[in-house]
Amino acid sequence: MSDVRKSRIGIVGLGRMGANIARRLVDQHFTLGALYDVQLKVAEELARELSCHAAANLAEVTAHSDIILTVVTDDAAMRAIFSAENLLHGARGKVFLNFATVSPDVHEEIGKAVAEAGAEAMEACMASSITQARQGTLFLILGGDQALVERMEPLLAAISSARRYVGPTGRGAQVKALVNMVMNINTAGLAEGLGLGAALGLDLTVLREVFAQTGANSRVLETDGADMQNREHECYFSAAHAAKDSASPSRWQKRKTSVCLWPRPRSSSTSE
C-alpha cells in the first residue's frame, strides 16, 4: 500500500464517533470503500449521505476496502468482528486500525489473528469525544508496529490534531485505560465538590473559578464544570462505558503490586 490517500477506507461501527470519523475523512478527500453497522439501516443512511457503499456483512467491508477502521463497543464485539468468516475473510494485504477502547489482551489477540491472516493491525485509541471526531482534532494513543504507524500517518493526521506512539500492541489500550481511570476519578470528584458547594449555598460559578486557580483544577472542570453546575446532563460518555473502561485497571491491581508515587502518611505513633 504505497499511497494511503489513494486507499479505500472501510469503517465498522457507525455510532457517533465512527460516523463522524467517516464524515471527516470525506471532507479530507479520502475514498470510503464500505460502511458497516450492526444496524444495517444506520449504515445505509450514512452511505447515502456520503455517497459510498453500505455493506451487508463484515466480509463485504474487507472486500471493498484496503484500510479498515473499527470503532466497536467492547471485547466481545471486537472478537466477533475479527473471525475468519467476518473481517478476516480475504484479509491478506489489508490494514486494520482499531479505535475501540477494549482490553490490551484483546488487542494482542486480534493482532496475532490478523497477522496469521496475512494482514496488519494497529491501535489508535481515542482520548477525545464526538466534536473532535467531526472536526478532525482527536488525540490518538497509538500502539503496534512503529513502521505501520508511520505508514498510516496521512490518514491519522486527517482525523487528529495530536498523536502519541506509546509502544507495541496492547500499550495503547493500557495507556487509554489509565487515562479514562483518572478522568473518571476527576469527574466523580468534581461532581461531589460542586454538589457539596450547592448544599452549602455557595455561588457555584465562583467556586468553579476558585477550583480553576488551585489544585482542584482539571480538564474535566474545563469541559464539564459548567454543564454540571447547570445540570445539563446530555450523555456523551455513559456510566456504563466508564465502568467498562475502569475494569482493566481494576484487574491489573489484582495481578500486580502498585508502586506508590506519593509518600504515605505516617501514623501518630511513628511520628512522635
Side-chain angles (χ1 to χ4, degrees):
M1 191 179 307
S2 58
D3 191 343
V4 170
R5 280 202 156 271
K6 293 181 180 179
S7 300
R8 300 167 300 165
I9 312 299
I11 302 180
V12 174
L14 302 174
R16 289 179 289 190
M17 295 301 285
N20 278 325
I21 289 173
R23 294 183 178 105
R24 173 65 181 179
L25 288 171
V26 169
D27 289 347
Q28 296 298 299
H29 310 294
F30 282 82
T31 300
L32 295 183
L35 303 178
Y36 176 85
D37 193 87
V38 290
Q39 300 181 59
L40 180 58
K41 184 178 179 181
V42 171
E44 290 173 339
E45 289 176 355
L46 187 60
R48 280 195 296 271
E49 175 189 335
L50 301 179
S51 301
C52 62
H53 177 67
N57 57 66
L58 290 161
E60 197 174 329
V61 177
T62 303
H64 283 79
S65 309
D66 304 304
I67 302 172
I68 297 97
L69 283 52
T70 66
V71 196
V72 298
T73 54
D74 54 30
D75 289 1
M78 192 73 164
R79 287 190 172 106
I81 65 174
F82 277 101
S83 63
E85 66 274 15
N86 287 326
L87 287 180
L88 295 184
H89 181 77
R92 183 168 297 278
K94 310 289 184 174
V95 174
F96 296 92
L97 273 60
N98 298 319
F99 289 79
T101 300
V102 298
S103 68
D105 291 347
V106 168
H107 274 293
E108 292 176 8
E109 176 186 321
I110 296 305
K112 292 176 182 176
V114 167
E116 289 172 0
E120 298 175 280
M122 60 168 282
E123 298 170 273
C125 302
M126 300 180 287
S128 308
S129 193
I130 301 159
T131 301
Q132 290 75 35
R134 184 66 186 91
Q135 295 174 343
T137 56
L138 293 169
F139 181 87
L140 297 178
I141 303 166
L142 308 175
D145 180 72
Q146 192 163 9
L148 175 60
V149 171
E150 291 171 359
R151 280 167 43 211
M152 293 299 109
E153 174 63 17
L155 190 156
L156 298 171
I159 60 176
S160 64
S161 57
R163 300 162 292 288
R164 187 63 182 263
Y165 176 74
V166 296
T169 299
R171 290 301 192 187
Q174 289 175 341
V175 172
K176 174 63 190 299
L178 293 174
V179 166
N180 282 5
M181 181 189 76
V182 173
M183 178 185 71
N184 294 337
I185 291 169
N186 288 341
T187 300
L190 177 60
E192 187 72 10
L194 290 175
L196 287 172
L200 292 169
L202 297 175
D203 183 322
L204 296 189
T205 298
V206 172
L207 184 59
R208 286 194 295 109
E209 291 171 353
V210 172
F211 283 173
Q213 299 300 318
T214 65
N217 195 17
S218 70
R219 184 66 180 272
V220 172
L221 174 63
E222 176 187 338
T223 60
D224 297 348
D227 286 346
M228 288 184 185
Q229 177 181 340
N230 298 324
R231 298 184 181 275
E232 295 176 0
H233 299 312
E234 184 176 357
C235 181
Y236 291 108
F237 188 74
S238 69
H241 279 109
K244 183 260 295 183
D245 291 348
S246 298
S248 286
S250 297
R251 288 194 296 268
W252 302 338
Q253 286 178 327
K254 294 176 182 177
R255 295 202 305 255
K256 297 180 181 294
T257 301
S258 297
V259 177
C260 181
L261 301 180
W262 190 256
R264 300 182 187 276
R266 293 184 297 169
S267 67
S268 57
S269 62
T270 60
S271 60
E272 293 175 353

